[in-house]
Amino acid sequence: MILVLNGPNLGRLGTREPAVYGSTTHADLVELCEKTGRDLGVEVEVRQTDHEGEMVGWLHEAADRALPVVLNAGAWTHYSIAVRDAAAQLSAPLVEVHISNVHKREEFRRHSVLSDIAAGVILGLGVDGYALALRWLAGAARG
Ligand code: DQA
């Protein structure tokens, strides 16, 4: 199983700053990830939270179950050492995803506290980045 974990404000995809994040809703994103999982023959579970402690708990669960993770930590990406410390406990690969190209945006979005512990980072490709991450993780799991 692959866990897709989305952080704060990502539940508002579709209505949130559509010029930056597009018109795809979080429900559409869940469908895209589940369909990608079906195509790949891997179970995919998508979760979203606006609460940092809940995200930390999900990362602990992924660490305990040795699950690969696709993580869009939203704004936490840029400053949450708690999320980083939880993600650092994972034994299976982590792929960091951002819908927008954070390097084209404000300076404070350029730094990620997660990138150096991620297997890879996909950004700026919209929600397609999730499908690409799942594809790569499914291959990584097969070895
Ligand atoms: C984001 C980029 C972050 O800077 C921002 O805080 C988000 C979404 C993205 O997917 O592009 O919430 O992670």
Side-chain angles (χ1 to χ4, degrees):
M1 208 234 291
I2 302 176
L3 272 185
V4 177
L5 302 180
N6 285 319
N9 297 301
L10 290 164
R12 294 183 54 79
L13 282 177
T15 48
R16 172 193 188 194
E17 299 181 80
V20 177
Y21 297 110
S23 55
T24 305
T25 65
H26 192 266
D28 295 334
L29 174 59
V30 172
E31 210 174 290
L32 168 75
C33 291
E34 288 177 352
K35 184 189 179 307
T36 304
R38 280 195 300 276
D39 291 348
L40 293 166
V42 191
E43 196 189 335
V44 172
E45 190 176 316
V46 186
R47 303 180 190 174
Q48 188 275 327
T49 184
D50 294 326
H51 301 278
E52 194 176 12
E54 189 165 37
M55 176 63 81
V56 167
W58 288 344
L59 288 165
H60 292 169
E61 179 190 337
D64 290 345
R65 298 172 65 190
L67 298 176
V69 173
V70 177
L71 177 62
N72 185 345
W76 294 327
T77 305
H78 310 299
Y79 69 88
S80 175
I81 307 302
V83 171
R84 178 203 163 85
D85 286 351
Q89 297 172 45
L90 298 171
S91 54
L94 166 75
V95 176
E96 177 183 348
V97 168
H98 300 285
I99 294 166
S100 66
N101 181 348
V102 288
H103 296 291
K104 280 189 182 167
R105 302 181 61 197
E106 301 95 328
E107 180 69 34
F108 62 81
R109 294 188 203 275
R110 295 210 177 144
H111 180 65
S112 164
V113 299
L114 301 169
S115 298
D116 67 308
I117 53 168
V121 182
I122 299 173
L123 51 88
L125 303 182
V127 293
D128 291 349
Y130 288 80
L132 293 167
L134 287 168
R135 212 162 274 287
W136 184 83
L137 283 169
R142 273 193 295 272

